[in-house]
Amino acid sequence: MSVSTPSPELSALWEQVLAELESALGSSKTDSWLRPARLTRLCGRRATIGAPSALHRARIERELHASLLRALDVDEIAVDLLPDSDIPLGRHDLPLAPPAPAKATPPVPAQVSPSDFMDGADRARPILNPGNHFDSFVVGPCNRFAHAACRGVADRPATSFNPLFLHGSVGLGKTHLMQAICHHLLDRNSELQIVYLSCEEFINHFISALQQGDIDAFRTRYRNADVLIVDDVQMLANKARTQEEFFHTFNALHNARKQIVLSSDAPPHEIPALQERLVSRFKWGLVAEIEPPCFETRVAILRSKALEEGLALRDDVAQFIAEHVENNVRELEGCLTRLQAMAALTNRAIDVPLARQAMGSELQQKSRPIRMDDILGIVTAQFMVKVADLQSKRRAQSIVQPRQVAMYHARKLTEMSLEEIGGYFGGRDHSTVLYSVEKVDRRRRVDHEFSALLTDLERRIRRTAQQGD
């Protein structure tokens, strides 16, 4: 197939690529940099992508090239600029400032300068996914606390929790909850000045303001907001000058009793090279973790998404997908999208065999079952003890804590019974194991540092299983 302008076939293929990349890269990066672009040509093993601006082209060539090669299954990709008329405006090309008088110069791809952003931003609503409301968020044990905190902020901004700091791995719903706050607040007061953006955008605006001498306009824009919501604040790591500016912006808003909502893939104290004073301020309000969804929640998410798409999804199919996609909501939705597309293209009913076919790569990459050796290896390395110590009768705290942590992970990550777990630890009975698991779980709920340690250990244990023998 070889075409110079987007055809229905190329548009359909591009949508499939975007769905796949959204699962791998996240909706923020996909929506910001790829969704405004177009697949304009596919000839043999070479593809051409049209970008709406030089900024988009540079980002695609620098950071997204390899991902696109894999998703399109080609050997070469060229990125060209498209005329404004060929493509709807993307997030970074919104005409926030009043249009300038027409000039007798050839048309060029539209770009937004930092001053354009700041001059017109007060009149613009944040760019939100229309589906990201509280009502469409599936609540389960993994996210109930974070969901309740976000509802509290949306109902009583700058009163309940200020700042609200959400953290968790990618694809668990942080962006959905933050956008739900925006929707809820704007539904109640459409004149509210909400600044919602990624930390990367904040950094880029700040750098551009410094380069163009617009720092006063930059500060006016951010410090006059009624609500500031910033995604992925871990991007502040190792950026001392931007941290300084963010610190003063935070203080100005907090002192003015304006709501601040932040998200990160790690709790404040685990963000590397983050100034201690920022860590302290991020903890002033409420720090809420979103954990990977349990099996029941994953099934509920699939049913909700299927209902939203008007898709008849049998229980056995939903359970099959939920069993094999454990840690990421976006991956769940991506699997459902591929299943729906495959059913439409092949004119087949949606059943488990079709789901197995649609999830071919995920099933091949699925890690082997986690073993006790995986858990013991990670835990003993973390606490610098020997396996023999954990199996001994010693009651020193330096031994008891890693022993209980290992039991906790064994109960959570394996199918072993309490008796079987106890057998690995010197023949302890099931009541001892149960006591240890419950003690660790109670501490996890009140000690954020300990909870972060458990999350990190679990991540390392799962990675060990994924790497295989």
Side-chain angles (χ1 to χ4, degrees), residues 66-222:
S67 298
L68 285 167
L69 283 175
R70 289 192 296 270
L72 287 167
D73 192 23
V74 295
D75 298 327
E76 184 181 357
I77 290 177
V79 186
D80 297 332
L81 288 175
L82 287 175
D84 293 344
S85 58
D86 283 356
I87 185 167
L89 294 171
R91 179 177 183 131
H92 292 272
D93 298 291
L94 292 171
L96 298 175
K103 297 180 181 180
T105 55
V108 295
Q111 298 188 50
V112 175
S113 71
S115 58
D116 290 336
F117 167 81
M118 291 177 282
D119 289 342
D122 288 338
R123 294 183 293 277
R125 292 168 65 97
I127 307 303
L128 305 172
N129 184 326
N132 284 348
H133 289 267
F134 285 119
D135 290 345
S136 61
F137 188 84
V138 178
V139 181
C142 57
N143 56 34
R144 182 171 288 111
F145 181 65
H147 175 267
C150 290
R151 286 302 301 254
V153 164
D155 290 334
R156 298 176 299 280
T159 301
S160 297
F161 314 112
N162 198 23
L164 173 61
F165 191 102
L166 302 174
H167 72 92
S169 187
V170 297
L172 298 184
K174 300 187 298 295
T175 298
H176 188 139
L177 285 175
M178 290 191 297
Q179 292 198 10
I181 292 174
C182 294
H183 278 299
H184 189 84
L185 290 172
L186 289 171
D187 287 344
R188 295 172 59 189
N189 182 359
S190 61
E191 299 300 316
L192 207 61
Q193 299 303 316
I194 299 178
V195 176
Y196 166 73
L197 76 171
S198 70
C199 189
E200 182 182 21
E201 290 175 283
F202 181 90
I203 294 168
N204 291 338
H205 294 160
F206 178 58
I207 292 172
S208 297
L210 290 175
Q211 293 172 339
Q212 300 183 17
D214 286 345
I215 194 65
D216 289 338
F218 173 90
R219 289 171 176 167
T220 297
R221 166 63 186 136
Y222 284 98

Side-chain angles (χ1 to χ4, degrees), residues 60 108 150 205 208 303 310 317 395 450:
I60 292 171
V108 295
C150 290
H205 294 160
S208 297
R303 288 172 176 165
V317 177
R395 302 286 298 169
F450 184 63

Side-chain angles (χ1 to χ4, degrees), residues 231-280:
D231 204 354
D232 293 328
V233 294
Q234 73 273 3
M235 294 290 292
L236 289 173
N238 298 306
K239 298 177 177 64
R241 187 75 183 272
T242 308
Q243 288 186 34
E244 179 80 16
E245 185 63 30
F246 197 87
F247 170 79
H248 293 297
T249 297
F250 183 102
N251 280 350
L253 290 171
H254 198 275
N255 291 338
R257 296 184 61 80
K258 301 300 178 65
Q259 179 67 52
I260 302 168
V261 181
L262 309 170
S263 83
S264 169
D265 62 5
H269 63 276
E270 289 188 9
I271 299 176
L274 187 65
Q275 295 175 6
E276 186 59 37
R277 59 182 180 173
L278 275 177
V279 174
S280 174

Side-chain angles (χ1 to χ4, degrees), residues 384-403:
M384 294 183 289
V385 296
K386 299 176 181 178
V387 173
D389 293 330
L390 302 186
Q391 296 173 333
S392 70
K393 301 298 183 181
R394 294 176 58 188
R395 302 286 298 169
Q397 183 60 27
S398 60
I399 302 299
V400 171
Q401 180 174 339
R403 181 188 292 141

Side-chain angles (χ1 to χ4, degrees), residues 363-421:
L363 294 178
Q364 292 172 7
Q365 296 171 4
K366 183 173 172 60
S367 59
R368 60 164 171 75
I370 293 172
R371 303 168 181 166
M372 182 62 79
D373 288 345
D374 301 326
I375 297 170
L376 294 176
I378 296 299
V379 172
T380 54
Q382 173 67 35
F383 291 94
M384 294 183 289
V385 296
K386 299 176 181 178
V387 173
D389 293 330
L390 302 186
Q391 296 173 333
S392 70
K393 301 298 183 181
R394 294 176 58 188
R395 302 286 298 169
Q397 183 60 27
S398 60
I399 302 299
V400 171
Q401 180 174 339
R403 181 188 292 141
Q404 292 177 338
V405 167
M407 290 179 177
Y408 169 84
H409 283 301
R411 183 60 171 169
K412 181 178 181 181
L413 302 177
T414 74
E415 298 297 326
M416 288 189 291
S417 66
L418 295 173
E419 290 80 1
E420 290 172 326
I421 295 171

